[in-house]
Amino acid sequence: VQLQASGGGLVQAGGSLRLSCAASGRIDSDYIIAWFRQAPGLEREFVAAIRWGGGRILYADSVKGRFTISRDIAKNTVYLQANTLKPENTAGYYCAARPRWLVGGGITKPDNYDYWGQGTLVTVSS
């Protein structure tokens, strides 16, 4: 499985960006595609996850109501619509994939993902 993230850039506080994660390879309906972010000096943190075949979505509390994860199966792409961005959202945003959903919070742990994209930088100015 290969992942390619894009769509980052510089935006003012309160603005929006749509990040894309183009996936290729053997991805079936049970695959999970997630977004993580990492700011300088901080650990990588979970943002959102979606099951490729539908039926499951999870958001970090910090982005609920502002970010939306979705997928376009025809384009093999997962999107992260990020609205009302804040300066503290400045980070490298990475998409990741694993073959099955995990319960008990495991889906939010970066160590549980097998495949990673290269990241796209989001900078939010105040």
Short mmCIF file of all heavy atoms in Angstrom, two decimals, residues 51-109:
data_model
loop_
_atom_site.label_atom_id
_atom_site.label_comp_id
_atom_site.label_asym_id
_atom_site.label_seq_id
_atom_site.Cartn_x
_atom_site.Cartn_y
_atom_site.Cartn_z
N ARG A 51 -13.06 4.01 7.90
CA ARG A 51 -12.99 2.68 7.30
C ARG A 51 -13.24 2.82 5.80
O ARG A 51 -14.19 3.48 5.38
CB ARG A 51 -14.03 1.76 7.95
CG ARG A 51 -14.02 0.33 7.45
CD ARG A 51 -15.00 -0.51 8.22
NE ARG A 51 -15.07 -1.88 7.71
CZ ARG A 51 -15.94 -2.27 6.79
NH1 ARG A 51 -16.80 -1.43 6.27
NH2 ARG A 51 -15.93 -3.53 6.40
N TRP A 52 -12.39 2.18 5.00
CA TRP A 52 -12.48 2.34 3.55
C TRP A 52 -13.85 1.92 3.01
O TRP A 52 -14.40 2.57 2.13
CB TRP A 52 -11.38 1.51 2.88
CG TRP A 52 -11.26 1.74 1.41
CD1 TRP A 52 -11.63 0.91 0.40
CD2 TRP A 52 -10.73 2.92 0.78
NE1 TRP A 52 -11.36 1.49 -0.82
CE2 TRP A 52 -10.82 2.72 -0.61
CE3 TRP A 52 -10.21 4.13 1.27
CZ2 TRP A 52 -10.39 3.68 -1.52
CZ3 TRP A 52 -9.79 5.07 0.35
CH2 TRP A 52 -9.87 4.85 -1.02
N GLY A 53 -14.42 0.86 3.57
CA GLY A 53 -15.72 0.38 3.11
C GLY A 53 -16.90 1.10 3.74
O GLY A 53 -18.05 0.78 3.47
N GLY A 54 -16.63 2.09 4.57
CA GLY A 54 -17.69 2.86 5.20
C GLY A 54 -18.09 2.26 6.55
O GLY A 54 -17.61 1.21 6.95
N GLY A 55 -18.94 2.98 7.26
CA GLY A 55 -19.50 2.45 8.49
C GLY A 55 -18.78 2.85 9.76
O GLY A 55 -19.32 2.67 10.86
N ARG A 56 -17.55 3.35 9.68
CA ARG A 56 -16.83 3.76 10.89
C ARG A 56 -16.02 5.01 10.62
O ARG A 56 -15.28 5.08 9.64
CB ARG A 56 -15.89 2.65 11.35
CG ARG A 56 -16.57 1.49 12.06
CD ARG A 56 -15.54 0.64 12.73
NE ARG A 56 -16.09 -0.57 13.35
CZ ARG A 56 -16.12 -0.76 14.66
NH1 ARG A 56 -15.62 0.13 15.48
NH2 ARG A 56 -16.61 -1.87 15.15
N ILE A 57 -16.18 5.98 11.50
CA ILE A 57 -15.39 7.21 11.50
C ILE A 57 -15.12 7.57 12.95
O ILE A 57 -15.97 7.39 13.83
CB ILE A 57 -16.14 8.37 10.80
CG1 ILE A 57 -16.18 8.15 9.28
CG2 ILE A 57 -15.49 9.71 11.12
CD1 ILE A 57 -16.95 9.21 8.52
N LEU A 58 -13.92 8.08 13.19
CA LEU A 58 -13.55 8.52 14.53
C LEU A 58 -12.76 9.82 14.42
O LEU A 58 -11.91 9.95 13.52
CB LEU A 58 -12.70 7.46 15.24
CG LEU A 58 -12.27 7.79 16.67
CD1 LEU A 58 -13.47 7.78 17.61
CD2 LEU A 58 -11.20 6.80 17.16
N TYR A 59 -13.04 10.75 15.31
CA TYR A 59 -12.32 12.02 15.36
C TYR A 59 -11.68 12.20 16.74
O TYR A 59 -12.23 11.78 17.75
CB TYR A 59 -13.26 13.20 15.13
CG TYR A 59 -13.87 13.28 13.76
CD1 TYR A 59 -15.16 12.84 13.52
CD2 TYR A 59 -13.14 13.81 12.69
CE1 TYR A 59 -15.73 12.91 12.25
CE2 TYR A 59 -13.69 13.88 11.42
CZ TYR A 59 -14.98 13.43 11.21
OH TYR A 59 -15.53 13.50 9.95
N ALA A 60 -10.56 12.88 16.75
CA ALA A 60 -10.01 13.35 18.02
C ALA A 60 -10.94 14.44 18.56
O ALA A 60 -11.54 15.20 17.79
CB ALA A 60 -8.61 13.92 17.81
N ASP A 61 -11.05 14.51 19.88
CA ASP A 61 -11.94 15.51 20.48
C ASP A 61 -11.58 16.92 20.05
O ASP A 61 -12.46 17.78 19.90
CB ASP A 61 -11.87 15.39 22.00
CG ASP A 61 -12.56 14.15 22.53
OD1 ASP A 61 -13.34 13.53 21.77
OD2 ASP A 61 -12.32 13.78 23.70
N SER A 62 -10.30 17.16 19.84
CA SER A 62 -9.85 18.51 19.53
C SER A 62 -10.29 19.01 18.16
O SER A 62 -10.24 20.22 17.90
CB SER A 62 -8.31 18.58 19.62
OG SER A 62 -7.74 17.67 18.69
N VAL A 63 -10.73 18.12 17.28
CA VAL A 63 -11.12 18.54 15.93
C VAL A 63 -12.60 18.30 15.64
O VAL A 63 -13.08 18.68 14.56
CB VAL A 63 -10.26 17.86 14.85
CG1 VAL A 63 -8.78 18.10 15.12
CG2 VAL A 63 -10.56 16.37 14.75
N LYS A 64 -13.31 17.69 16.55
CA LYS A 64 -14.74 17.41 16.33
C LYS A 64 -15.49 18.70 16.05
O LYS A 64 -15.32 19.70 16.75
CB LYS A 64 -15.34 16.73 17.55
CG LYS A 64 -15.06 15.24 17.64
CD LYS A 64 -15.71 14.64 18.88
CE LYS A 64 -15.39 13.17 19.00
NZ LYS A 64 -15.94 12.59 20.25
N GLY A 65 -16.31 18.66 15.01
CA GLY A 65 -17.09 19.84 14.65
C GLY A 65 -16.37 20.78 13.71
O GLY A 65 -17.00 21.68 13.13
N ARG A 66 -15.05 20.63 13.55
CA ARG A 66 -14.28 21.50 12.66
C ARG A 66 -13.67 20.73 11.48
O ARG A 66 -13.54 21.28 10.39
CB ARG A 66 -13.16 22.20 13.43
CG ARG A 66 -13.63 23.12 14.53
CD ARG A 66 -12.47 23.93 15.10
NE ARG A 66 -11.42 23.10 15.67
CZ ARG A 66 -10.16 23.10 15.24
NH1 ARG A 66 -9.79 23.87 14.24
NH2 ARG A 66 -9.26 22.33 15.84
N PHE A 67 -13.28 19.51 11.69
CA PHE A 67 -12.66 18.70 10.64
C PHE A 67 -13.64 17.61 10.20
O PHE A 67 -14.41 17.08 11.02
CB PHE A 67 -11.39 18.03 11.15
CG PHE A 67 -10.22 18.97 11.37
CD1 PHE A 67 -10.39 20.34 11.47
CD2 PHE A 67 -8.94 18.45 11.49
CE1 PHE A 67 -9.31 21.19 11.68
CE2 PHE A 67 -7.85 19.29 11.70
CZ PHE A 67 -8.04 20.65 11.80
N THR A 68 -13.58 17.25 8.93
CA THR A 68 -14.40 16.17 8.39
C THR A 68 -13.54 15.26 7.54
O THR A 68 -12.86 15.73 6.62
CB THR A 68 -15.55 16.72 7.54
OG1 THR A 68 -16.35 17.62 8.33
CG2 THR A 68 -16.43 15.58 7.03
N ILE A 69 -13.59 13.96 7.83
CA ILE A 69 -12.88 12.97 7.03
C ILE A 69 -13.88 12.29 6.10
O ILE A 69 -15.03 12.02 6.50
CB ILE A 69 -12.13 11.95 7.91
CG1 ILE A 69 -11.18 11.09 7.09
CG2 ILE A 69 -13.10 11.09 8.72
CD1 ILE A 69 -10.23 10.23 7.93
N SER A 70 -13.47 12.06 4.87
CA SER A 70 -14.35 11.40 3.90
C SER A 70 -13.49 10.64 2.91
O SER A 70 -12.27 10.80 2.88
CB SER A 70 -15.21 12.43 3.17
OG SER A 70 -14.40 13.33 2.44
N ARG A 71 -14.14 9.78 2.09
CA ARG A 71 -13.37 9.07 1.08
C ARG A 71 -14.14 9.03 -0.22
O ARG A 71 -15.37 9.04 -0.23
CB ARG A 71 -12.98 7.66 1.55
CG ARG A 71 -14.02 6.56 1.28
CD ARG A 71 -14.78 6.27 2.53
NE ARG A 71 -15.63 5.10 2.35
CZ ARG A 71 -16.92 5.18 2.07
NH1 ARG A 71 -17.49 6.36 1.93
NH2 ARG A 71 -17.65 4.08 1.93
N ASP A 72 -13.38 8.99 -1.32
CA ASP A 72 -13.92 8.85 -2.66
C ASP A 72 -13.32 7.57 -3.22
O ASP A 72 -12.15 7.55 -3.62
CB ASP A 72 -13.56 10.07 -3.51
CG ASP A 72 -14.21 10.04 -4.89
OD1 ASP A 72 -14.42 8.92 -5.43
OD2 ASP A 72 -14.48 11.12 -5.43
N ILE A 73 -14.11 6.50 -3.21
CA ILE A 73 -13.59 5.20 -3.63
C ILE A 73 -13.18 5.21 -5.10
O ILE A 73 -12.16 4.63 -5.48
CB ILE A 73 -14.62 4.10 -3.35
CG1 ILE A 73 -14.80 3.94 -1.84
CG2 ILE A 73 -14.19 2.78 -3.98
CD1 ILE A 73 -15.86 2.93 -1.45
N ALA A 74 -13.92 5.92 -5.94
CA ALA A 74 -13.61 5.97 -7.37
C ALA A 74 -12.24 6.61 -7.60
O ALA A 74 -11.53 6.25 -8.54
CB ALA A 74 -14.68 6.74 -8.12
N LYS A 75 -11.86 7.55 -6.75
CA LYS A 75 -10.57 8.23 -6.89
C LYS A 75 -9.51 7.64 -5.96
O LYS A 75 -8.38 8.15 -5.92
CB LYS A 75 -10.74 9.72 -6.61
CG LYS A 75 -11.61 10.44 -7.62
CD LYS A 75 -11.66 11.94 -7.34
CE LYS A 75 -12.50 12.65 -8.39
NZ LYS A 75 -12.58 14.11 -8.15
N ASN A 76 -9.86 6.63 -5.18
CA ASN A 76 -8.92 6.02 -4.22
C ASN A 76 -8.29 7.08 -3.32
O ASN A 76 -7.08 7.04 -3.06
CB ASN A 76 -7.82 5.26 -4.97
CG ASN A 76 -8.18 3.80 -5.17
OD1 ASN A 76 -9.33 3.40 -5.04
ND2 ASN A 76 -7.18 3.00 -5.50
N THR A 77 -9.11 7.98 -2.85
CA THR A 77 -8.59 9.12 -2.08
C THR A 77 -9.42 9.35 -0.82
O THR A 77 -10.64 9.24 -0.85
CB THR A 77 -8.60 10.39 -2.94
OG1 THR A 77 -7.78 10.18 -4.10
CG2 THR A 77 -8.07 11.59 -2.17
N VAL A 78 -8.72 9.64 0.27
CA VAL A 78 -9.34 10.06 1.52
C VAL A 78 -9.04 11.55 1.71
O VAL A 78 -7.91 11.98 1.48
CB VAL A 78 -8.82 9.24 2.70
CG1 VAL A 78 -9.27 9.83 4.03
CG2 VAL A 78 -9.27 7.79 2.58
N TYR A 79 -10.05 12.29 2.13
CA TYR A 79 -9.91 13.73 2.32
C TYR A 79 -10.03 14.10 3.80
O TYR A 79 -10.72 13.43 4.57
CB TYR A 79 -10.99 14.48 1.54
CG TYR A 79 -10.96 14.22 0.06
CD1 TYR A 79 -11.85 13.32 -0.52
CD2 TYR A 79 -10.04 14.85 -0.75
CE1 TYR A 79 -11.84 13.07 -1.88
CE2 TYR A 79 -10.01 14.61 -2.12
CZ TYR A 79 -10.91 13.72 -2.67
OH TYR A 79 -10.87 13.47 -4.02
N LEU A 80 -9.39 15.17 4.16
CA LEU A 80 -9.59 15.77 5.47
C LEU A 80 -9.91 17.24 5.25
O LEU A 80 -9.03 18.01 4.85
CB LEU A 80 -8.35 15.63 6.35
CG LEU A 80 -8.52 16.15 7.78
CD1 LEU A 80 -9.47 15.25 8.57
CD2 LEU A 80 -7.17 16.25 8.50
N GLN A 81 -11.17 17.59 5.42
CA GLN A 81 -11.59 18.98 5.33
C GLN A 81 -11.37 19.63 6.69
O GLN A 81 -12.01 19.22 7.67
CB GLN A 81 -13.06 19.08 4.91
CG GLN A 81 -13.59 20.49 4.83
CD GLN A 81 -12.97 21.30 3.70
OE1 GLN A 81 -12.79 20.79 2.60
NE2 GLN A 81 -12.64 22.55 3.99
N ALA A 82 -10.48 20.58 6.74
CA ALA A 82 -10.13 21.24 8.00
C ALA A 82 -10.65 22.67 7.97
O ALA A 82 -10.17 23.48 7.17
CB ALA A 82 -8.62 21.21 8.20
N ASN A 83 -11.63 22.96 8.80
CA ASN A 83 -12.24 24.30 8.87
C ASN A 83 -11.89 24.97 10.19
O ASN A 83 -11.48 24.33 11.16
CB ASN A 83 -13.76 24.18 8.74
CG ASN A 83 -14.20 23.61 7.41
OD1 ASN A 83 -13.53 23.77 6.39
ND2 ASN A 83 -15.34 22.93 7.43
N THR A 84 -12.09 26.27 10.21
CA THR A 84 -11.85 27.08 11.41
C THR A 84 -10.48 26.75 12.00
O THR A 84 -10.35 26.45 13.19
CB THR A 84 -12.96 26.86 12.46
OG1 THR A 84 -14.24 26.78 11.83
CG2 THR A 84 -12.98 28.03 13.44
N LEU A 85 -9.48 26.78 11.16
CA LEU A 85 -8.14 26.41 11.59
C LEU A 85 -7.58 27.41 12.60
O LEU A 85 -7.88 28.61 12.55
CB LEU A 85 -7.21 26.30 10.39
CG LEU A 85 -7.40 25.01 9.58
CD1 LEU A 85 -6.82 25.15 8.18
CD2 LEU A 85 -6.75 23.83 10.31
N LYS A 86 -6.78 26.89 13.51
CA LYS A 86 -6.17 27.68 14.58
C LYS A 86 -4.65 27.60 14.46
O LYS A 86 -4.12 26.60 13.94
CB LYS A 86 -6.59 27.14 15.94
CG LYS A 86 -8.09 27.01 16.13
CD LYS A 86 -8.41 26.33 17.45
CE LYS A 86 -9.90 26.14 17.62
NZ LYS A 86 -10.23 25.45 18.90
N PRO A 87 -3.92 28.59 14.95
CA PRO A 87 -2.45 28.53 14.88
C PRO A 87 -1.89 27.25 15.50
O PRO A 87 -0.88 26.72 15.01
CB PRO A 87 -2.02 29.77 15.66
CG PRO A 87 -3.13 30.74 15.45
CD PRO A 87 -4.38 29.90 15.45
N GLU A 88 -2.52 26.75 16.54
CA GLU A 88 -2.03 25.53 17.18
C GLU A 88 -2.25 24.28 16.34
O GLU A 88 -1.80 23.20 16.70
CB GLU A 88 -2.66 25.33 18.57
CG GLU A 88 -4.17 25.35 18.58
CD GLU A 88 -4.73 26.70 18.95
OE1 GLU A 88 -4.19 27.74 18.48
OE2 GLU A 88 -5.74 26.74 19.70
N ASN A 89 -2.96 24.41 15.22
CA ASN A 89 -3.12 23.30 14.28
C ASN A 89 -1.95 23.20 13.30
O ASN A 89 -1.92 22.29 12.47
CB ASN A 89 -4.42 23.45 13.49
CG ASN A 89 -5.66 23.45 14.35
OD1 ASN A 89 -6.64 24.14 14.05
ND2 ASN A 89 -5.65 22.69 15.45
N THR A 90 -1.02 24.13 13.40
CA THR A 90 0.17 24.09 12.54
C THR A 90 0.96 22.82 12.82
O THR A 90 1.32 22.53 13.96
CB THR A 90 1.05 25.32 12.79
OG1 THR A 90 0.34 26.49 12.36
CG2 THR A 90 2.37 25.22 12.04
N ALA A 91 1.19 22.04 11.76
CA ALA A 91 1.88 20.75 11.91
C ALA A 91 2.06 20.12 10.55
O ALA A 91 1.47 20.56 9.56
CB ALA A 91 1.04 19.81 12.79
N GLY A 92 2.89 19.07 10.52
CA GLY A 92 2.90 18.19 9.37
C GLY A 92 1.75 17.21 9.53
O GLY A 92 1.59 16.63 10.59
N TYR A 93 0.97 17.06 8.48
CA TYR A 93 -0.19 16.15 8.51
C TYR A 93 0.15 14.92 7.67
O TYR A 93 0.57 15.05 6.52
CB TYR A 93 -1.44 16.84 7.99
CG TYR A 93 -2.05 17.78 9.01
CD1 TYR A 93 -1.42 18.96 9.36
CD2 TYR A 93 -3.25 17.46 9.64
CE1 TYR A 93 -1.96 19.81 10.33
CE2 TYR A 93 -3.81 18.31 10.59
CZ TYR A 93 -3.16 19.47 10.93
OH TYR A 93 -3.70 20.31 11.88
N TYR A 94 -0.03 13.76 8.27
CA TYR A 94 0.35 12.49 7.65
C TYR A 94 -0.88 11.58 7.55
O TYR A 94 -1.67 11.50 8.49
CB TYR A 94 1.40 11.78 8.49
CG TYR A 94 2.67 12.55 8.66
CD1 TYR A 94 2.80 13.52 9.65
CD2 TYR A 94 3.77 12.32 7.82
CE1 TYR A 94 3.97 14.24 9.80
CE2 TYR A 94 4.94 13.04 7.97
CZ TYR A 94 5.02 14.00 8.96
OH TYR A 94 6.18 14.70 9.10
N CYS A 95 -0.99 10.87 6.42
CA CYS A 95 -2.01 9.83 6.35
C CYS A 95 -1.34 8.47 6.54
O CYS A 95 -0.16 8.30 6.20
CB CYS A 95 -2.82 9.89 5.07
SG CYS A 95 -1.90 9.82 3.52
N ALA A 96 -2.11 7.56 7.09
CA ALA A 96 -1.60 6.24 7.43
C ALA A 96 -2.68 5.20 7.18
O ALA A 96 -3.87 5.53 7.15
CB ALA A 96 -1.15 6.21 8.88
N ALA A 97 -2.26 3.96 7.04
CA ALA A 97 -3.22 2.88 6.76
C ALA A 97 -2.88 1.62 7.55
O ALA A 97 -1.71 1.35 7.85
CB ALA A 97 -3.23 2.55 5.26
N ARG A 98 -3.91 0.88 7.90
CA ARG A 98 -3.78 -0.42 8.54
C ARG A 98 -4.94 -1.28 8.06
O ARG A 98 -5.99 -0.75 7.64
CB ARG A 98 -3.76 -0.31 10.06
CG ARG A 98 -4.97 0.30 10.71
CD ARG A 98 -5.07 -0.04 12.19
NE ARG A 98 -5.44 -1.42 12.37
CZ ARG A 98 -4.58 -2.34 12.80
NH1 ARG A 98 -3.33 -2.01 13.12
NH2 ARG A 98 -4.97 -3.60 12.94
N PRO A 99 -4.84 -2.60 8.14
CA PRO A 99 -5.85 -3.46 7.51
C PRO A 99 -7.15 -3.64 8.26
O PRO A 99 -8.13 -4.06 7.64
CB PRO A 99 -5.13 -4.80 7.38
CG PRO A 99 -4.05 -4.78 8.39
CD PRO A 99 -3.65 -3.35 8.56
N ARG A 100 -7.22 -3.36 9.57
CA ARG A 100 -8.46 -3.60 10.31
C ARG A 100 -8.67 -2.51 11.36
O ARG A 100 -7.72 -1.95 11.89
CB ARG A 100 -8.41 -4.95 11.03
CG ARG A 100 -8.31 -6.16 10.14
CD ARG A 100 -9.56 -6.45 9.37
NE ARG A 100 -9.46 -7.67 8.58
CZ ARG A 100 -8.99 -7.73 7.35
NH1 ARG A 100 -8.56 -6.62 6.76
NH2 ARG A 100 -8.95 -8.88 6.71
N TRP A 101 -9.95 -2.28 11.71
CA TRP A 101 -10.26 -1.38 12.80
C TRP A 101 -9.81 -2.01 14.12
O TRP A 101 -9.82 -3.23 14.27
CB TRP A 101 -11.78 -1.14 12.88
CG TRP A 101 -12.16 0.02 13.76
CD1 TRP A 101 -12.41 -0.01 15.10
CD2 TRP A 101 -12.31 1.38 13.36
NE1 TRP A 101 -12.70 1.24 15.55
CE2 TRP A 101 -12.65 2.11 14.52
CE3 TRP A 101 -12.18 2.05 12.14
CZ2 TRP A 101 -12.87 3.49 14.48
CZ3 TRP A 101 -12.40 3.41 12.10
CH2 TRP A 101 -12.74 4.13 13.26
N LEU A 102 -9.39 -1.18 15.06
CA LEU A 102 -9.03 -1.64 16.39
C LEU A 102 -9.96 -1.02 17.42
O LEU A 102 -10.31 0.16 17.30
CB LEU A 102 -7.58 -1.24 16.72
CG LEU A 102 -6.47 -1.95 15.97
CD1 LEU A 102 -5.13 -1.30 16.28
CD2 LEU A 102 -6.44 -3.42 16.34
N VAL A 103 -10.33 -1.78 18.44
CA VAL A 103 -11.17 -1.24 19.51
C VAL A 103 -10.27 -0.82 20.67
O VAL A 103 -9.06 -1.04 20.66
CB VAL A 103 -12.19 -2.29 19.99
CG1 VAL A 103 -13.15 -2.64 18.85
CG2 VAL A 103 -11.50 -3.54 20.49
N GLY A 104 -10.87 -0.18 21.66
CA GLY A 104 -10.14 0.18 22.86
C GLY A 104 -9.14 1.31 22.66
O GLY A 104 -8.20 1.43 23.44
N GLY A 105 -9.33 2.12 21.64
CA GLY A 105 -8.43 3.25 21.44
C GLY A 105 -7.21 2.95 20.61
O GLY A 105 -6.41 3.83 20.32
N GLY A 106 -7.04 1.69 20.23
CA GLY A 106 -5.86 1.32 19.45
C GLY A 106 -5.79 2.01 18.11
O GLY A 106 -4.70 2.20 17.57
N ILE A 107 -6.94 2.41 17.58
CA ILE A 107 -6.97 3.05 16.26
C ILE A 107 -6.31 4.42 16.29
O ILE A 107 -5.96 4.97 15.26
CB ILE A 107 -8.43 3.14 15.76
CG1 ILE A 107 -8.47 3.18 14.24
CG2 ILE A 107 -9.16 4.32 16.36
CD1 ILE A 107 -8.09 1.88 13.58
N THR A 108 -6.14 4.99 17.47
CA THR A 108 -5.55 6.32 17.60
C THR A 108 -4.04 6.29 17.82
O THR A 108 -3.42 7.34 17.95
CB THR A 108 -6.19 7.10 18.76
OG1 THR A 108 -5.84 6.47 19.99
CG2 THR A 108 -7.71 7.14 18.63
N LYS A 109 -3.45 5.10 17.87
CA LYS A 109 -2.01 4.98 18.17
C LYS A 109 -1.21 4.84 16.89
O LYS A 109 -1.42 3.90 16.12
CB LYS A 109 -1.76 3.75 19.06
CG LYS A 109 -2.64 3.68 20.29
CD LYS A 109 -2.43 4.85 21.21
CE LYS A 109 -3.29 4.67 22.47
NZ LYS A 109 -3.25 5.86 23.34
#
